[in-house]
């Protein structure tokens, strides 16, 4: 008998079938965006204590108007700022350390301008926006303020725990990663909390104004 | 000379397409792994703004999604071009948020309720009035953990106009 090779199966339609599946998945699925800026809203309180006295120099007051312009009021002066300069201005404000006596700030590396914030704990960033402000401008402002806090927290974290060789943001990410072991989480948690107490995020949002 | 006789004149041999299925399967597997099934059919435009200080949202089952944005083109004639809220495949009003949150809370186990996060997926062209209304409504029902869902990227790049 002559040696006959097995006939080849025609696989020409396999590509069509694969395309069909591919197109089905392309249409019915999405690439999820599952990251964003986490924030906590203030609870509604009825008996609000209105007698809190905050020194004017400790407030970094930002106002965004309906034309998406930024007005910055701090240390008794007002000026219009660009969003790209906001991060630097916020870091300079938070890091200023102009306090004396009990308010003195030993970790601040700023200009120590007596007209600007006393220390990390006292510094407050306040944001007010207009109802007609565009959402992406608002997110950009939020992002820049968060970046300013993160920059300072990173620096303090590196200074406090130099042998960890990690920044605050990385440590926080590692802490929330489910793959990190429980013992490591425990040690990270304490360090993260320490930095959070040292550089608290004091960020307040006023109710938006109605534009007219 | 007979050695060379087998060669047929002129005609090109067919190009083998045997590896085409492999390539398509490769694409298919990429999409199967990298994407998830659509939960809600979006009836609004939802181009998220970019930010670079983002945190990842873990535990998908503990997230409630609120979408907002301009109605997409096919709903424009019915709902206009003003930004609207979408909850669970339907257009909704600000006043519907409270009911939505409580129904979401009711569907979760009781001990998980305090860990619920509300993800705001808002179109970058929406205005803050709508977002503030949503936030105010969330404060009323004590759903205080929120997340502004964004793309990863340079927050300032998209603003240049």
């Amino acid at each position: 008998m002559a040696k006959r090779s097995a006939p080849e199966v025609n696989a020409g339609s396999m590509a069509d079938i694969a395309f069909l599946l591919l197109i089905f998945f392309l249409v019915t699925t999405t690439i999820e965006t599952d990251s964003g800026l986490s924030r906590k809203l203030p609870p509604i309180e009825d008996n609000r204590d209105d007698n809190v006295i905050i020194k004017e120099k400790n407030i970094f007051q930002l106002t965004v108007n309906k034309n998406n312009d930024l007005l910055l009021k701090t240390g008794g002066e007002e000026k219009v700022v660009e969003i790209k300069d906001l991060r630097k201005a916020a870091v300079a404000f938070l890091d200023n350390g102009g306090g004396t006596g009990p308010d003195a700030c030993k970790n601040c590396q700023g200009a120590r301008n007596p007209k600007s914030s006393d220390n990390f704990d006292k510094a407050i960033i306040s944001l007010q926006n207009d109802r007609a402000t565009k959402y992406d401008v608002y997110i950009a402002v939020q992002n820049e303020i968060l970046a300013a806090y993160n920059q300072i927290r990173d620096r303090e974290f590196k200074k406090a725990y130099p042998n960890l060789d990690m920044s605050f943001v990385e440590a926080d990410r590692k802490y929330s990663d489910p793959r990190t072991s429980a013992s490591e989480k425990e040690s990270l948690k304490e360090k993260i909390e320490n930095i959070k107490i040292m550089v608290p995020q004091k960020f307040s949002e006023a109710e938006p104004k109605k534009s007219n | 000379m007979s050695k060379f006789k087998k060669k047929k004149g002129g005609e090109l041999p067919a190009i083998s397409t045997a590896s085409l299925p492999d390539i398509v399967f490769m694409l298919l597997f990429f999409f199967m792994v990298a994407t998830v099934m659509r939960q809600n059919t979006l009836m609004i435009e939802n181009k998220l703004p970019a930010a670079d200080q983002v945190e990842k949202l873990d535990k998908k089952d503990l997230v409630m999604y609120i979408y907002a944005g301009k109605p997409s083109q096919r709903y424009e004639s019915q709902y206009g071009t003003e930004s609207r809220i979408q909850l669970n495949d339907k257009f909704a009003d600000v006043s519907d948020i409270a009911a939505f949150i409580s129904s979401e809370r009711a569907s979760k186990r009781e001990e998980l309720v305090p860990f619920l996060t509300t993800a705001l997926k808002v179109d970058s062209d929406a205005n803050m009035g709508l977002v503030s209304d949503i936030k105010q409504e969330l404060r009323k029902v004590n759903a205080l953990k929120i997340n502004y869902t964004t793309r990863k990227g340079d927050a300032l790049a998209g603003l240049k106009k």
Side-chain angles (χ1 to χ4, degrees):
Chain A
M1 262 245 283
K3 203 177 158 196
R4 233 194 302 173
S5 55
E8 212 170 286
V9 178
N10 183 10
S13 51
M14 183 142 83
D16 302 4
I17 296 164
F19 265 119
L20 218 74
L21 280 168
L22 174 64
I23 289 163
F24 170 74
F25 270 92
L26 277 171
V27 174
T28 56
T29 63
T30 49
I31 296 181
E32 276 289 279
T33 41
D34 56 347
S35 55
L37 309 174
S38 288
R39 287 250 143 253
K40 210 149 185 192
L41 296 171
I44 295 182
E45 284 168 40
D46 299 327
N47 49 347
R48 229 193 316 198
D49 192 4
D50 285 322
N51 300 324
V52 184
I53 298 161
I54 301 162
K55 279 192 229 162
E56 199 189 4
K57 65 172 187 168
N58 282 324
I59 305 178
F60 186 84
Q61 195 180 359
L62 275 169
T63 314
V64 192
N65 75 357
K66 64 178 177 199
N67 299 324
N68 306 322
D69 300 319
L70 251 75
L71 178 73
L72 169 61
K73 204 162 120 186
T74 178
E77 53 178 309
E78 292 184 15
K79 60 174 185 250
V80 177
V81 289
E82 300 260 331
I83 295 181
K84 65 177 182 343
D85 305 323
L86 180 59
R87 189 184 303 198
K88 236 169 114 189
V91 169
F93 167 79
L94 292 170
D95 205 17
N96 178 56
T100 49
D103 286 341
C105 179
K106 52 184 185 297
N107 287 313
C108 302
Q109 294 174 1
R112 301 197 182 272
N113 178 1
K115 277 165 89 181
S116 188
S117 81
D118 283 338
N119 56 34
F120 296 142
D121 194 40
K122 287 268 160 58
I124 293 172
I125 293 183
S126 134
L127 172 65
Q128 181 168 42
N129 57 268
D130 192 279
R131 285 189 70 88
T133 303
K134 260 179 68 179
Y135 181 66
D136 55 353
V137 175
Y138 173 78
I139 287 295
V141 172
Q142 287 257 16
N143 184 56
E144 292 308 292
I145 291 168
L146 252 175
Y149 276 113
N150 278 341
Q151 193 175 327
I152 289 181
R153 283 180 167 180
D154 278 353
R155 195 188 73 201
E156 292 306 316
F157 191 87
K158 276 194 174 138
K159 210 158 70 186
Y161 310 104
N163 47 359
L164 223 55
D165 197 29
M166 213 190 286
S167 70
F168 175 80
V169 177
E170 284 164 28
D172 202 34
R173 196 166 294 153
K174 196 154 187 212
Y175 174 67
S176 50
D177 191 339
R179 281 170 293 183
T180 313
S181 65
S183 59
E184 201 173 356
K185 266 192 178 179
E186 202 52 48
S187 76
L188 275 176
K189 186 180 180 179
E190 191 189 325
K191 288 166 184 144
I192 290 170
E193 289 303 320
N194 279 343
I195 298 297
K196 278 188 179 167
I197 290 165
M198 194 198 289
V199 190
Q201 256 190 40
K202 296 207 167 173
F203 178 62
S204 92
E205 275 182 71
E207 309 250 312
K209 275 187 303 198
K210 274 216 172 66
S211 61
N212 34 31
Chain B
M1 284 304 150
S2 61
K3 262 191 177 174
F4 302 103
K5 233 169 205 170
K6 270 177 195 165
K7 211 176 197 174
K8 281 168 200 152
E11 257 181 81
L12 283 165
I15 297 168
S16 165
T17 54
S19 53
L20 186 66
D22 302 5
I23 297 165
V24 182
F25 268 118
M26 218 154 71
L27 279 170
L28 174 65
F29 288 142
F30 167 75
F31 273 93
M32 284 171 74
V33 172
T35 62
V36 290
M37 285 281 168
R38 256 181 228 275
Q39 277 189 322
N40 296 319
T41 324
L42 282 186
M43 298 156 83
I44 51 167
E45 275 174 35
N46 206 226
K47 202 174 152 287
L48 299 171
D52 50 11
Q53 307 291 318
V54 291
E55 277 171 53
K56 223 167 144 65
L57 265 178
D58 286 322
K59 307 203 185 84
K60 288 265 173 58
D61 50 329
L62 294 176
V63 182
M64 309 177 275
Y65 294 98
I66 294 180
Y67 300 89
K70 207 167 68 168
S72 46
Q73 225 156 25
R74 40 191 289 233
Y75 299 103
E76 223 168 61
S77 55
Q78 204 177 342
Y79 294 100
T81 53
E82 200 52 42
S83 293
R84 294 183 67 98
I85 302 166
Q86 184 189 346
L87 303 168
N88 286 339
D89 289 350
K90 280 196 296 289
F91 283 116
D93 274 322
V94 179
S95 52
D96 298 332
I97 291 177
F100 168 73
I101 297 287
S102 52
S103 76
E104 285 283 306
R105 278 180 176 161
S107 68
K108 302 282 177 340
R109 293 213 311 276
E110 200 179 329
E111 65 267 29
L112 297 176
V113 167
F115 299 106
L116 282 173
T117 309
T118 315
L120 300 181
K121 293 197 164 185
V122 182
D123 189 81
S124 53
D125 274 331
N127 59 38
M128 278 309 294
L130 182 71
V131 181
S132 310
D133 289 343
I134 296 174
K135 273 157 66 178
Q136 198 59 26
E137 207 60 29
L138 289 175
R139 282 177 68 191
K140 278 185 201 156
V141 290
N142 220 28
L144 300 177
K145 275 174 83 172
I146 60 166
N147 181 288
Y148 302 107
T149 307
T150 56
R151 286 178 293 117
K152 255 180 228 171
D154 188 4
L156 306 180
L159 296 177
K160 287 277 149 277
K161 266 159 255 155

